[in-house]
Amino acid sequence: MLNKQLMSGLIKSSIARKVIMALSGLFLVFFLGQHFVINVTSVIAPDTFNSWSHFMGYNPIVQYILQPILIAGVIVHFVMGIVLELQNRGARGVKYAKYKGSANASWLSRNMIITGLVVLAFLGLHFYDFWIHEMTYKYIESNPEDPTRYYAETVHKFEPFWRTVIYVVSFVLLALHLLHGFASSFQSMGLNNKYTPAIKMFTKIYAIGIPLGFIFIALYHHFNQLTH
Amino acid sequence: MKLNLKIWRQKDAKSNGQMVDYPISGIEGDMSFLEMMDVLNEELITKGEDPVVFDHDCREGICGSCSLQINGEPHGPDRLITTCQLHMRKFNDGDTIVIEPFRAKAFPVIKDLMVDRSSFDRIQQAGGYISVNTSGNTVDANAIPIDKHDADEAMDSATCIGCGACVAACKNASAMLFTSAKVSQYALLPQGQVEATDRVLNMVRQMDLEGFGNCTNTGACEVECPKGISLENIARMNREYFSASLKG
């Protein structure tokens, strides 16, 4: 059993903070994969996209249990990320006149706060585009259920060029964020062993492949509307 | 060769410091970096100026005393060496070399390039030891069978000389690599198991108390470590920490 002192140390310690970042990050990575699977149906099977989206929008377990967990995961990840960044900046005090960070660490690993904040800003737009729209449709305007509306609504979002560009750029930044963060989360949780090269390879494929898939979907819907 | 040195000068811990230019000539490629600093200091003393204070002791890469952030990297541009093992042949005639102390809130500057690294000592004192009877009936360490792989890994971890390059290189001034090496060298051996739970909890607590930053897995520490201490040590310390927390 954890006693109070140990529990307090577990929450306050630098190692615990790393693990909280890792676990919340892995949860969001898993969610991203599930989100991609649903979105890709908007390209290959619009009816499936409608029915899956309707299920996600009206299933009480998804709406009242999984959705709050997801929002909590996002909040924990970015709040902890910003707290860590501020603590880490404070740990140096006087800055170096010359600091050659590129000599010993990748740009990706040194700039997680930049890629992370861009993704966070994108999430703001994404929430405005879809989540707030959905909440308004269902709970404020109290519109009736319409299982056929999702495909048209989603495709319509990608009509403006500017929004498509923002989506593409944001997913490039997300890929850069994941390229360091996904593999790094295993190290934070103490997993560094003979399987590490395989984990790194898988995380690279996932970190590039999934955002690339989202970019394809956004471009597909944008250019598909231009040609029709 | 002729060089332009830009060196951090700071009168004492309370004063503000600044970068000062020192042109120097007659430097040979066979000189070590610290010998070059000696030449500079002899010139400064001859001119009646205050010599540049820097840490050094064994000058053969063992003690961990020498530090210096050289052109933005701890122990300079070469790998797996300390500053005393860095040779001037790594630089070219006419180069500008920026020399600063290791920077971290937990490594306050004492004077010029000399920093107080006693925070590392306090982390070590918090648990980096084993309690064995040394009063005459000590058990021969070789009498305890240890897996060859574990013995080798423990020895690798134990090669950490506590120089602080990991902290200096890390963008977060994190001391995770140092602390994890000191935790690992005992965690891998049967002699270290008796105090394993308290050791990792106390050393990590002390590390946090000293004001070091959090690890974000950039790997800069591993690259700049003069002894090649691996990031695997940090993963091991994280495992040890959670295992210890659950046992408590």
Side-chain angles (χ1 to χ4, degrees), chain A residues 53-71:
Chain A
S53 298
H54 185 70
F55 172 80
M56 297 299 276
Y58 285 90
N59 182 283
I61 294 173
V62 175
Q63 282 297 296
Y64 304 120
I65 298 175
L66 298 182
Q67 187 169 258
I69 291 174
L70 173 65
I71 293 171

Side-chain angles (χ1 to χ4, degrees), chain A residues 2 13 18-19 24 35 37 47 55 60 72 76-77 112-113 121 141 166 176 187 193 200 207 213 219 225-226:
Chain A
L2 292 168
S13 83
K18 283 178 61 158
V19 173
S24 56
H35 195 333
V37 170
D47 289 342
F55 172 80
V76 164
H77 195 69
M112 290 294 276
I113 189 70
E141 296 174 353
I166 289 177
L176 298 179
Q187 161 79 8
N193 49 38
K200 282 187 175 174
L219 293 176
Q225 287 175 95
L226 287 182

Side-chain angles (χ1 to χ4, degrees), chain A residues 93-106:
Chain A
V94 179
K95 305 294 174 207
Y96 286 116
K98 186 169 183 177
Y99 180 68
K100 205 173 171 185
S102 59
N104 46 43
S106 68

Side-chain angles (χ1 to χ4, degrees), chain A residues 90-93, chain B residues 102-109 115-120 122-123 167 173-175 206-213:
Chain A
R92 175 123 291 145
Chain B
F102 281 178
R103 297 281 191 203
K105 210 170 98 185
F107 285 171
V109 172
V115 295
D116 179 358
R117 284 170 281 181
S118 58
S119 48
F120 269 15
R122 290 187 289 276
I123 293 172
V167 175
S174 169
Q206 189 62 39
M207 176 184 77
D208 290 341
L209 281 174
E210 296 292 346
F212 291 104

Side-chain angles (χ1 to χ4, degrees), chain B residues 12 18 28-29 36 39 44 54 66 71 77 84 102 120 136-137 139 149 198:
Chain B
D12 53 44
Q18 59 176 346
E28 299 293 331
M36 183 275 294
V39 171
L44 292 176
F54 60 91
C66 60
N71 278 347
C84 62
F102 281 178
F120 269 15
N137 56 349
V139 178
H149 183 256
D198 288 343

